[in-house]
Amino acid sequence: MKPCVPTLGLTGGIGSGKSTVAQRLVELGAHLVDTDAIARDLTRAGGAAMPALAAEFGAAAIGADGALDRAWMRRLAFEDRTAKARLEAILHPLIGAAALQLAAAHRGRPLVYDVPLLAESRGPWRARCDRILVVDCTVRTQVERVAARPGWTAEAARRVIAQQADRGARRAVADAVIHNDAISLAELASEVDRFMAWWLGRDGRPVVAP
């Protein structure tokens, strides 16, 4: 069954600028369901996922603050090919359930699911969305942006990028692509505005093709 309100799946690799695009969509009136934020809540100290994560990965996965040690988990995922799948098997059902609860509060506004791993999903997220927007940039730009974040290195950024869907796979699922390389924040906002007008049927001009 098609969504009763315009429903968008927003995705992009780490460092692509997806969060900036999401914020602009909110400013334009969309209701955002941020699956990264849901994951952080589930893995905070006392979060709903923590007992299962501790049982699966042991005390080493828990930081001094009682939350999931994300840096430790990133290292494990690089060293152990099964770790990512085991982590996702715990988190993804919980994230999906929480996302649906939050979506129920949209009250008729355009709905945006911000899903970093949408291209990797095999059904549920795509089925919930009538359009998919990909925020794209070069791997070099991704690495530069992520390495500038506190606690990150270029090598750590490359490892995460290597574990995500590649640019071609993301573009293959897209109805529209915003290319976020070498443009200003104002120019990026303008691209989002143009996409929003097309998505909601207020402007028939084509968006950037995948």
Side-chain angles (χ1 to χ4, degrees):
M1 180 179 296
K2 285 206 176 277
C4 60
V5 297
T7 306
L8 177 71
L10 173 65
T11 194
I14 187 172
S16 64
K18 176 178 58 62
S19 295
T20 303
V21 170
Q23 183 56 45
R24 182 59 181 169
L25 290 167
V26 170
E27 291 169 358
L28 294 173
H31 177 79
L32 179 68
V33 176
D34 184 343
T35 60
D36 259 354
I38 294 171
R40 287 192 296 272
D41 184 64
L42 290 170
T43 58
R44 63 175 171 79
M50 291 309 295
L53 292 173
E56 179 66 32
F57 297 104
I62 314 303
D65 61 353
L68 177 68
D69 187 331
R70 288 172 172 262
W72 183 89
M73 186 59 67
R74 284 195 297 268
R75 291 193 298 271
L76 180 66
F78 181 73
E79 297 166 0
D80 180 351
R81 292 183 179 274
T82 72
K84 184 170 179 284
R86 289 154 55 203
L87 175 67
E88 291 175 350
I90 293 170
L91 290 182
H92 283 191
L94 296 173
I95 291 171
L100 290 178
Q101 288 182 339
L102 292 172
H106 60 68
R107 298 178 181 176
R109 285 189 287 160
L111 178 63
V112 177
Y113 287 112
D114 181 340
V115 186
L117 300 181
L118 190 150
E120 292 89 334
S121 72
R122 289 294 182 267
W125 292 114
R126 299 185 202 183
R128 291 168 185 158
C129 304
D130 56 14
R131 292 288 185 271
I132 294 175
L133 172 63
V134 169
V135 186
D136 186 45
C137 66
T138 65
V139 172
R140 178 178 178 178
T141 298
Q142 287 181 268
V143 171
E144 290 174 350
R145 289 173 179 162
V146 177
R149 299 175 183 175
W152 283 82
T153 64
E155 180 57 29
R158 292 188 189 96
R159 289 179 179 180
V160 172
I161 291 167
Q163 293 172 346
Q164 295 182 333
D166 62 28
R167 296 174 66 198
R170 279 192 293 270
R171 289 196 298 268
V173 304
D175 293 292
V177 176
I178 290 178
H179 296 288
N180 185 24
D181 263 309
I183 62 174
S184 67
L185 289 175
E187 289 169 327
L188 178 60
S190 179
E191 288 295 304
V192 179
D193 294 356
R194 186 163 72 94
F195 168 79
M196 187 78 156
W198 172 81
W199 176 36
L200 299 183
R202 296 194 293 260
D203 190 331
R205 291 178 298 170
V207 293
V208 177

